[in-house]
Amino acid sequence: MQFSVNYSPMLAEMVNAGQVQVDVYKCPAWPDLLKQARASRPVYVHSPLLVGGGRGVPMDAERKQGADLEFYADLLAATSTPLLNTHLFPAQEDYPDLPADSLAAAHARRLIDGAKRDLEPLIARFGAEHVTVENCIPEAGRPLLLAAPEVLNYLLEETGCGFLLDISHARLAAGVLGMDERAYLAALPVQKIREVHITGIQRIEGRWVELLRDAGDAIWNLETMAGRMQDHLPMTESDWVAYRWVMEQIRADGWGRPWVVAYEYGGVGGFWDVLCDREVYGRDLPALRAVIYG
């Protein structure tokens, strides 16, 4: 396992100065940024590809169109990224006659089949063993079924793709579904884990509201965000408990062993620029890395 953190210029300064250790930076699929990050440490690409809508092609969330597979093939080759990730994140409009809160087996089958259609081009181009599916949070405008453990289990069993376990997404989804966090995590296709993400979860209030206001980032609508529980923030005690428990399950050999564990704190642009904090990096990174390396 390798330890990764979202790339940011501040983090690179600290890494280059020997203040913190990172094995590989996690970067968005931005060629110029990848070149910048590689001057400091190896990088790997995290794609914005979405599956589940049933269009027969993964959607590129940044470019708002069907994915250009050769663009991603070139990025993966240039950075030696071993896996192409996707997110199981259909929109409710993709299934207009499906009740948003349904967990019915027949509706689950439709979503699974839709996701399989979207994954087919990726499997044909890269091979199922090089494709992963990440668990997501059933936000407003998304069918609840995207977070159902049985959907992910059947999808990965039938396609042969690997699992990208986002611990924070799972904990938030468990809350939406009214499930115990550990029971929910254990019900996911954990034997197929190939990559793990961890972040802190905090309520958007106080200082976070001020940071959002300062960022002026149109992606984060302050009226929508204020008061909600949000991931991609610094670790809190409950986050540490969840992280250590997941890593214990992985070490016990009952769960798949990821090639990388990524701390999705910080980044580049808007809110992420103002979020980056040297104190957080200095506190969280050594402790996160220590859990991986024992």
Side-chain angles (χ1 to χ4, degrees):
M1 284 184 285
Q2 297 187 59
F3 176 52
S4 180
V5 183
N6 282 358
Y7 173 78
S8 74
M10 180 186 292
L11 174 60
E13 288 179 11
M14 295 181 70
V15 169
N16 294 341
Q19 297 170 334
V20 292
Q21 290 181 282
V22 173
D23 298 322
V24 56
Y25 292 128
K26 173 178 165 287
C27 294
W30 303 346
D32 290 344
L33 184 69
L34 288 165
K35 182 179 180 180
Q36 176 184 332
R38 290 174 73 183
S40 170
R41 282 293 183 277
V43 303
Y44 82 97
V45 176
H46 185 72
S47 86
L49 300 185
L50 311 181
V51 299
R55 296 177 176 83
V57 62
M59 297 302 295
D60 190 317
E62 290 185 350
R63 295 165 180 82
K64 311 300 182 186
Q65 62 185 24
D68 179 347
L69 301 193
E70 295 313 306
F71 169 78
Y72 286 98
D74 290 345
L75 285 187
L76 267 58
T79 58
S80 298
T81 300
L83 303 169
L84 179 62
N85 69 286
T86 68
H87 306 76
L88 181 61
F89 206 47
Q92 187 60 44
E93 64 188 29
D94 296 325
Y95 301 91
D97 59 333
L98 190 155
D101 60 352
S102 173
L103 292 173
H107 295 153
R109 186 70 255 174
R110 287 182 56 194
L111 198 152
I112 294 166
D113 289 342
K116 287 172 65 176
R117 285 194 294 275
D118 296 344
L119 286 166
E120 284 173 358
L122 297 180
I123 293 171
R125 176 62 179 81
F126 300 97
E129 69 275 15
H130 296 297
V131 178
T132 61
V133 179
E134 179 176 349
N135 58 300
C136 293
I137 309 163
E139 301 172 348
R142 308 281 176 178
L144 185 62
L145 269 168
L146 71 86
E150 60 270 25
V151 169
L152 282 157
N153 276 283
Y154 279 115
L155 177 62
L156 299 190
E157 183 64 31
E158 294 175 16
T159 61
C161 295
F163 183 38
L164 195 169
L165 170 61
D166 189 303
I167 300 172
S168 301
H169 287 180
R171 295 174 61 213
L172 290 168
V176 174
L177 291 168
M179 292 183 63
D180 173 78
E181 287 184 4
R182 292 187 179 182
Y184 179 80
L185 279 158
L188 295 171
V190 292
Q191 296 83 5
K192 297 181 179 293
I193 289 174
R194 303 293 302 281
E195 181 175 339
V196 169
H197 291 174
I198 178 66
T199 66
I201 300 173
Q202 298 188 38
R203 191 173 301 281
I204 298 298
E205 58 188 6
R207 174 171 174 261
W208 303 124
V209 171
E210 295 304 315
L211 284 176
L212 279 168
R213 186 174 290 115
D214 291 344
D217 195 332
I219 296 175
W220 302 97
N221 184 299
L222 186 56
E223 292 183 3
T224 302
M225 295 291 293
R228 66 177 280 182
M229 297 299 288
Q230 178 64 38
D231 57 349
H232 294 265
L233 297 176
M235 300 284 281
T236 68
E237 183 55 36
S238 64
D239 303 315
W240 284 111
V241 169
Y243 173 59
R244 293 188 181 106
W245 182 79
V246 166
M247 297 306 293
E248 286 171 3
Q249 310 315 303
I250 289 170
R251 285 201 194 89
D253 293 329
W255 295 18
R257 187 175 179 85
W259 82 273
V260 68
V261 176
Y263 183 34
E264 292 191 295
Y265 170 79
V268 177
F271 180 55
W272 308 121
D273 283 333
V274 298
L275 175 66
C276 295
D277 187 310
R278 291 179 185 273
E279 183 178 338
V280 172
Y281 283 137
R283 180 188 68 234
D284 286 358
L285 270 56
L288 286 158
R289 194 171 188 275
V291 173
I292 294 171
Y293 289 103

